[in-house]
Amino acid sequence: MTAAPRHQRARGRARTAFRQDQAAGVTRLSDLYQSHPMRVLFPRPAKGDPITAVLATVSGGIAGGDRIEIEIDGGEGTESLVLAQAAEKIYRAPDPDPARIAFHLQAGPGAGVEYLPQETILFDGARLHRETVVDIAAADGRVLTGEIAVFGRGAMGETVRDCAFRETWRVRIAGRTVWRDAFALTPDARESRFGLNGAAAMGTIVCAAGDLATLRDALRPHLPQSDAVTAAVGRVGPLLLARFLGRDPAALRKAYYDTWSRLRQAALHRPARLPALIHC
């Protein structure tokens, strides 16, 4: 009997860089690189939004052993918006080798960079290591970024019994690390009251822009506190962090994007609405 073919491991990369056209007073694309399965699309920006790039994984998902690198570089004085085209699916890994996603966001002096995610859905049996590094060149650089993770396909009745997820964050301003965070999920930790306590989704928003104390106080009355989803926001040095945890992924998604809409208006002076690709 012929053995089943092994998964062909992907080595995808997407790099998008922007520069300021001083003469025209607009931000333009300065560098683009993409390799399968990553693609970068450039739709016409909505009114009030800056130049917009959309990241797409054309393979339909990421499997064990895949390696994905994403780099966003907002040069000095630029204004940019990058978003994911759709939820990212992490398939069951046939062996212990995890999928790995490395995400690097850079903001030059006076730049405003917004990366708007959609969900990363981890199937039962998925293995994922995700590393996010944010480099802000100077104190006047502005960044709004985050991630959402969903455990299992609830609409299909899937229960995640075996899932390994490790996520790390590192934010540097002017070369100095101002925040580091590490999260590791094992099957037992998901149900533990000291872990996720049975939650089916989690989210993080990181904001380096605006008057953080004012932003924090303005957001708190609008954060949900229910059986479906709970959230908190606070300052960590020069950053504003918002965390979401929920048993209902749809409710978490709605709360997450509502908070994002408020933040992008208050911190980045952009319209308090989401791009058309994001449906709530």
Side-chain angles (χ1 to χ4, degrees):
M1 179 180 293
T2 302
R6 291 179 61 84
H7 166 66
Q8 182 65 43
R9 293 174 177 175
R11 298 291 186 271
R13 183 173 177 235
R15 169 177 162 78
T16 308
F18 303 97
R19 66 173 179 84
Q20 181 71 359
D21 184 335
Q22 298 290 348
V26 297
T27 297
R28 301 192 187 279
L29 181 69
S30 63
D31 188 26
L32 173 65
Y33 177 87
Q34 52 191 355
S35 64
H36 185 80
M38 299 305 300
R39 291 291 182 270
V40 186
L41 312 173
F42 294 91
R44 179 177 297 177
K47 184 177 180 180
D49 281 345
I51 186 171
T52 301
V54 177
L55 300 175
T57 306
V58 297
S59 61
I62 297 173
D66 288 354
R67 305 289 185 264
I68 303 296
E69 297 180 16
I70 299 169
E71 183 178 356
I72 300 168
D73 186 354
E76 181 175 0
T78 59
E79 296 287 337
S80 59
L81 166 63
V82 180
L83 61 148
Q85 182 189 40
E88 190 68 87
K89 297 180 286 294
I90 310 298
Y91 296 122
R92 178 182 180 86
D95 56 52
D97 190 16
R100 297 180 185 271
I101 300 175
F103 182 84
H104 189 194
L105 186 154
Q106 302 176 75
V113 183
E114 179 181 8
Y115 170 68
L116 177 58
Q118 296 208 48
E119 303 98 315
T120 297
I121 304 174
L122 292 99
F123 289 24
D124 191 30
R127 306 279 186 272
L128 174 64
H129 292 180
R130 182 166 61 197
E131 177 186 22
T132 299
V133 176
V134 178
D135 278 307
I136 305 172
D140 62 349
R142 293 161 292 118
V143 166
L144 180 59
T145 186
E147 289 291 352
I148 306 172
V150 175
F151 306 106
R153 296 164 290 175
M156 299 179 64
E158 181 180 64
T159 299
V160 173
R161 297 183 176 86
D162 178 21
C163 174
F165 176 43
R166 188 171 74 189
E167 181 171 55
T168 62
W169 281 83
R170 182 172 184 174
V171 180
R172 296 184 290 240
I173 298 180
R176 183 176 69 89
T177 297
V178 297
W179 183 58
R180 296 190 72 168
D181 188 66
F183 172 83
L185 177 68
T186 57
D188 56 337
R190 183 167 175 264
E191 296 302 327
S192 168
R193 61 179 297 189
F194 301 106
L196 295 185
N197 197 27
M202 59 181 285
T204 298
I205 296 177
V206 179
C207 178
D211 182 337
L212 300 185
T214 300
L215 291 175
R216 176 199 60 201
D217 294 343
L219 286 177
R220 280 179 172 168
H222 302 283
L223 295 177
Q225 303 295 334
S226 68
D227 292 338
V229 59
T230 186
V233 62
R235 288 184 58 186
V236 178
L239 303 177
L240 186 75
L241 301 180
R243 299 279 206 181
F244 301 79
L245 195 63
R247 294 180 178 272
D248 181 349
L252 184 142
R253 176 187 173 95
K254 184 178 185 305
Y256 186 97
Y257 287 140
D258 177 71
T259 301
W260 192 286
S261 296
R262 296 175 188 277
L263 266 178
R264 78 187 307 255
Q265 180 185 48
L268 298 179
H269 308 295
R270 297 175 184 176
R273 50 112 179 99
L274 300 174
L277 279 175
I278 308 293
H279 301 287
C280 289

